[in-house]
Amino acid sequence: MLLVTQDRDARERFASVDCVDVQVMLADCAASGREGLTRLAAWRPNVALVGLPLPDLSGVEFVRAAKRALASCQILLLAAAGAEDALIAAIEAGAAGCVLEPCDANELVGHALKLRAGGSPLSPLVARRLVERLHGRTLARAAAAALTARESDVVCLLASGLSYSQIGDKLGVSLNTVGSHIKNAYRKLDVHSATAAVMRAVELQMPGKA
């Protein structure tokens, strides 16, 4: 296992119990994200325990780089309460689990063993936020699916940077018709501006049909 954290006390505490379970061996410690990536490439551990924040990289940056360097490494993130959004972003980047402090060294060893067994340790608050995000995306995709083909075309053309009049010319419809399609799309996507509609289109990766 590789431990990456700028907290010196945490590194020392964890090192003192690395023999708590014969299945867990602490291969090395690192105090920064870049140092951690170097040691990960050298040791090629099965599990990396990463305490956030890191002094030089965000959780997402570290996870992406680590997975590129060693895709088989399972990454467990540890952070203080209030960092749930950053943890979820790191999960989406490839982290296998996230837990919130306080979490003692013995608990972390247990989480590492869960990762080794194919589990994904998640603190309840992080799990709840993940469910909420998934639910929100499901609703958003359902809203996008409810758009008519022409409404979808209009939103995608907005996302491409076209003005209302340019959209009308491209689709062969009047400016009033474009406005009507946009109004309906706003209502279905639950947005209130062209910018918000474009952001939702990008988020949903709506394909252009025009």
Side-chain angles (χ1 to χ4, degrees):
M1 177 189 300
L2 173 68
L3 176 62
V4 184
T5 176
Q6 62 180 325
D7 186 338
R8 179 181 297 177
D9 290 340
R11 294 197 300 273
E12 292 176 352
R13 287 197 306 273
F14 196 86
S16 70
V17 297
D18 77 295
C19 291
V20 157
D21 193 294
V22 295
Q23 301 179 68
V24 177
M25 181 184 73
L26 181 61
D28 210 343
C29 294
S32 70
R34 290 185 176 87
E35 181 186 0
L37 291 172
T38 298
R39 295 182 186 278
L40 180 138
W43 285 98
R44 302 183 68 80
N46 293 322
V47 175
L49 172 60
V50 184
L52 299 180
L54 294 170
D56 53 349
L57 299 175
S58 70
V60 169
E61 289 171 333
F62 180 87
V63 170
R64 286 177 177 166
K67 297 301 283 187
R68 285 196 299 268
L70 185 61
S72 62
C73 182
Q74 300 299 301
I75 301 171
L76 175 66
L77 302 176
L78 173 68
E84 291 87 353
D85 287 341
L87 291 174
I88 289 171
I91 287 176
E92 293 176 331
C98 297
V99 294
L100 297 178
E101 298 174 337
C103 190
D104 66 31
N106 291 296
E107 290 177 300
L108 291 176
V109 168
H111 291 319
L113 291 173
K114 284 183 180 179
L115 281 180
R116 289 267 301 274
S120 294
L122 289 175
S123 290
L125 284 176
V126 176
R128 175 63 181 269
R129 196 66 68 85
L130 273 172
V131 170
E132 290 173 350
R133 180 170 294 198
L134 177 61
H135 182 60
R137 287 181 177 177
T138 299
L139 291 178
R141 290 187 183 279
L147 296 180
T148 65
R150 186 58 79 194
E151 289 164 357
S152 179
D153 289 343
V154 168
V155 172
C156 290
L157 290 172
L158 272 177
S160 298
L162 273 63
S163 67
Y164 286 16
S165 61
Q166 289 172 323
I167 292 173
D169 291 341
K170 185 173 181 64
L171 298 180
V173 298
S174 70
L175 197 60
N176 285 340
T177 299
V178 172
S180 177
H181 287 318
I182 289 174
K183 181 178 179 180
N184 290 335
Y186 282 8
R187 175 177 54 81
K188 293 178 181 179
L189 294 173
D190 192 26
V191 297
H192 305 285
S193 70
T195 299
V198 169
M199 290 178 65
R200 184 60 57 84
V202 171
E203 176 187 348
L204 299 174
Q205 299 180 329
M206 291 170 57
K209 299 178 182 178

